[in-house]
Amino acid sequence: MDTEAERWKAEYRSLLEEQDLQTQQWAAMRSLLQDMLRAVLNACVGWSDEIDEEIEVLRIQVERADTPEQLESLQKAVGRISAALRGQRREPQAGEQPRDLSVALDDIQQRFLEQLAAEPLLSACVADTLDKAPEASAADGLDILADALIAAFRELSAQKAEAERFVSEVTVTLASLERWAADGASRVDAQRLANHGLQADVDREVSTLQTQVEGASSLDDLKQHMRDRLAAIATRIQSFRDQEDEKLVEVERENAALSSELVALQARTEKLNEQLHEQEQLLLLDSLTQVHSRFAYERRLDEEIAVSLRSGKPLCYALWDIDYFKRINDEHGHQAGDAVLAQVASYLSRYTRSNDFVARIGGEEFVVLFPDTTIDDATMIAEKLRALIAAAEITVDGVEIPVTISCGISALKARDGAEQLYRRADEALYAAKDAGRNRCIAA
């Protein structure tokens, strides 16, 4: 049982670490939401005295908001103000620049998208909601982003509450285990004392019997003394056995109750572990394109760099960007854009090797890692992929959409890290764009 208790304590420590991570993630999402609402409110200041008064009230509420419901209510209020002012131009006061709220809101949206991209865990939480957000659900991208953040925060809050409930359950069960261990030690001590007491009683009766035997004046007296002492010893032993039987029944009852608690806790632990594993798998997969996510990419990139530097084998990095993707969204709609992303990802996955790694790292950007591959071979593979996609007939709702893709390729050098590898590929990608797009350039 000591081993069982130690195992549960280890599970408990692991659970507390997981809960701490969820709490940090929850706090980061709450802070991001509050920062976003404050930024929108700041952009709306100065249009009228009436709006400024309402903004001051909302600012106080933003600081105090702590639940998804409170933040969602605030987001709706802030959205109502920004929607009323969006598209208006305010005549500048003396010394001011002309102000267009739509431009300011677009800048805020871009800033927070970049902030999300820098936080892989939060970005992964929001990505699925953003992908599924209907185009008609909001006036612009900032509203969609806010809705996605609120939905993700609500999910994080539910996970955090579930973890806290489970930690409470584990705490109670661990207390039962420790109490059982303490009770067990007490029972051992009590048993030792009871055994000593029984032995002392028997020794005393035997000593009395010896004295009486020595002082007996007749055989009848001796027989009577023997009967009395043996009866006393038998009574004492029977009493001892009855007490032990009662203790055994109590111990069995406590053991049965504790076993039941452990079985229930084991089932809850297995369920929670399954949920955590499922959540991690969702984080590792981009929900729209079904290739690896940015979260999985950052893990794998560090691993591949470490393997390459340790083994001396080459590693190449290909950064891809769909050409004129904004035009595809504008002319055919976001659903068509999503379909193009999924089909491009499919080509990159199907026509790369089994040990290559394909990931979507944001927007219309993809990365392919080529382990144990020279820069010449990686460029040749990339060129084949580019040509396949350029020649593909990508059709959405019966409409063929011409799609091309540009690529920048870099090779890992000694003392390189992920940042240097990405930067050189990014520079090569920009060179491909400047050279007319639909081409691959190696750094």
Side-chain angles (χ1 to χ4, degrees):
M1 185 56 71
D2 288 343
T3 303
E4 184 74 2
E6 288 302 317
R7 186 175 73 80
W8 279 110
K9 287 179 181 178
E11 291 273 357
Y12 185 55
R13 285 191 291 270
S14 174
L15 189 62
L16 287 177
E17 290 173 3
E18 181 66 31
Q19 185 189 12
D20 183 55
L21 178 62
Q22 284 185 329
T23 300
Q24 292 176 24
Q25 194 177 357
W26 178 86
M29 182 65 77
R30 173 175 173 263
S31 176
L32 188 68
L33 279 163
Q34 289 176 314
D35 288 347
M36 184 174 175
L37 292 174
R38 280 193 289 264
V40 176
L41 289 173
N42 290 339
C44 294
V45 168
W47 294 82
S48 74
D49 292 341
E50 183 181 353
I51 288 177
D52 286 355
E53 288 178 6
E54 189 172 355
I55 286 173
E56 285 306 312
V57 173
L58 289 173
R59 275 176 171 162
I60 295 171
Q61 293 175 346
V62 166
E63 298 299 328
R64 296 175 179 173
D66 194 48
T67 67
E69 292 74 24
Q70 291 170 339
L71 284 163
E72 184 172 22
S73 175
L74 285 169
Q75 188 261 327
K76 288 178 180 177
V78 173
R80 176 177 52 77
I81 293 174
S82 64
L85 298 176
R86 187 180 287 110
Q88 296 185 22
R89 285 181 61 84
R90 180 174 176 270
E91 290 303 319
Q93 304 293 326
E96 283 187 344
Q97 295 294 324
R99 291 175 57 191
D100 185 333
L101 187 63
S102 296
V103 174
L105 294 178
D106 287 343
D107 290 342
I108 290 169
Q109 175 192 343
Q110 185 59 37
R111 174 155 62 91
F112 280 93
L113 284 171
E114 291 171 357
Q115 210 168 325
L116 268 175
E119 295 285 347
L121 280 175
L122 296 186
S123 178
C125 289
V126 178
D128 191 53
T129 310
L130 278 175
D131 289 338
K132 294 177 181 177
E135 187 177 357
S137 68
D140 65 10
L142 183 61
D143 294 324
I144 295 176
L145 176 59
D147 289 342
L149 287 169
I150 291 290
F153 185 58
R154 185 183 292 110
E155 178 64 22
L156 284 174
S157 297
Q159 292 175 10
K160 179 171 173 284
E162 172 65 15
E164 288 172 349
R165 281 194 298 272
F166 189 57
V167 165
S168 177
E169 289 179 24
V170 175
T171 302
V172 170
T173 302
L174 282 176
S176 298
L177 278 169
E178 291 175 352
R179 190 166 56 250
W180 184 90
D183 289 346
S186 297
R187 282 194 293 270
V188 170
D189 292 339
Q191 182 67 42
R192 188 178 295 112
L193 289 173
N195 289 341
H196 289 164
L198 176 63
Q199 186 63 50
D201 288 346
V202 172
D203 289 345
R204 186 166 53 253
E205 293 294 339
V206 170
S207 176
T208 302
L209 179 59
Q210 288 174 342
T211 302
Q212 292 175 340
V213 167
E214 291 172 358
S217 59
S218 67
L219 183 57
D220 288 339
D221 287 341
L222 179 60
K223 289 180 178 178
Q224 188 59 47
H225 290 320
M226 289 285 287
R227 291 191 193 98
D228 292 344
R229 299 283 68 79
L230 290 174
I233 291 172
T235 300
R236 180 67 183 86
I237 291 175
Q238 186 59 48
S239 174
F240 179 80
R241 286 177 175 171
D242 291 343
Q243 291 172 4
E244 290 305 300
D245 287 343
E246 290 177 5
K247 291 177 184 177
L248 183 60
V249 170
E250 179 63 19
V251 168
E252 289 175 346
R253 185 188 64 77
E254 291 178 0
N255 285 346
L258 184 60
S259 296
S260 178
E261 286 185 32
L262 289 175
V263 168
L265 186 60
Q266 179 68 35
R268 291 279 288 114
T269 301
E270 290 174 357
K271 182 178 179 182
L272 185 62
N273 285 336
E274 288 174 4
Q275 290 173 346
L276 292 175
H277 179 70
E278 289 171 3
Q279 289 170 10
E280 183 177 21
Q281 292 308 306
L282 289 175
L283 286 177
L284 295 175
L285 194 68
D286 180 68
S287 59
L288 175 64
T289 62
Q290 299 303 301
V291 296
H292 294 98
S293 67
R294 186 185 183 95
F295 180 61
Y297 148 80
E298 291 184 348
R299 278 189 179 183
R300 182 65 172 267
L301 179 58
D302 289 339
E303 292 172 1
E304 292 292 354
I305 288 174
V307 169
S308 177
L309 293 177
R310 186 170 60 250
S311 66
K313 294 180 179 179
L315 171 66
C316 285
Y317 182 109
L319 181 62
W320 303 81
D321 188 89
I322 299 176
D323 298 328
Y324 302 111
F325 185 70
K326 185 176 184 303
R327 183 189 298 174
I328 293 173
N329 276 334
D330 292 343
E331 292 181 359
H332 302 281
H334 287 281
Q335 288 185 340
D338 289 349
V340 168
L341 286 170
Q343 293 193 48
V344 167
S346 175
Y347 272 93
L348 293 176
S349 296
R350 284 160 50 198
Y351 295 104
T352 47
R353 301 164 303 181
S354 60
N355 63 327
D356 297 333
F357 180 86
V358 180
R360 179 189 177 202
I361 63 170
E364 66 273 21
E365 279 194 334
F366 295 86
V367 164
V368 179
L369 301 179
F370 295 109
D372 196 13
T373 306
T374 65
I375 189 74
D376 291 339
D377 287 342
T379 304
M380 181 181 66
I381 297 170
E383 182 59 30
K384 288 180 179 179
L385 288 169
R386 181 207 60 75
L388 278 169
I389 292 170
E393 295 181 359
I394 295 180
T395 303
V396 179
D397 294 334
V399 177
E400 185 174 339
I401 301 175
V403 176
T404 61
I405 191 166
S406 299
C407 176
I409 307 159
S410 64
L412 186 70
K413 298 179 180 178
R415 299 181 182 177
D416 258 356
E419 183 178 350
Q420 292 81 3
L421 194 60
Y422 169 83
R423 178 173 49 76
R424 289 198 302 275
D426 190 47
E427 290 170 355
L429 174 61
Y430 271 97
K433 295 282 190 180
D434 289 341
R437 294 179 170 80
N438 190 25
R439 66 194 64 226
C440 300
I441 292 182

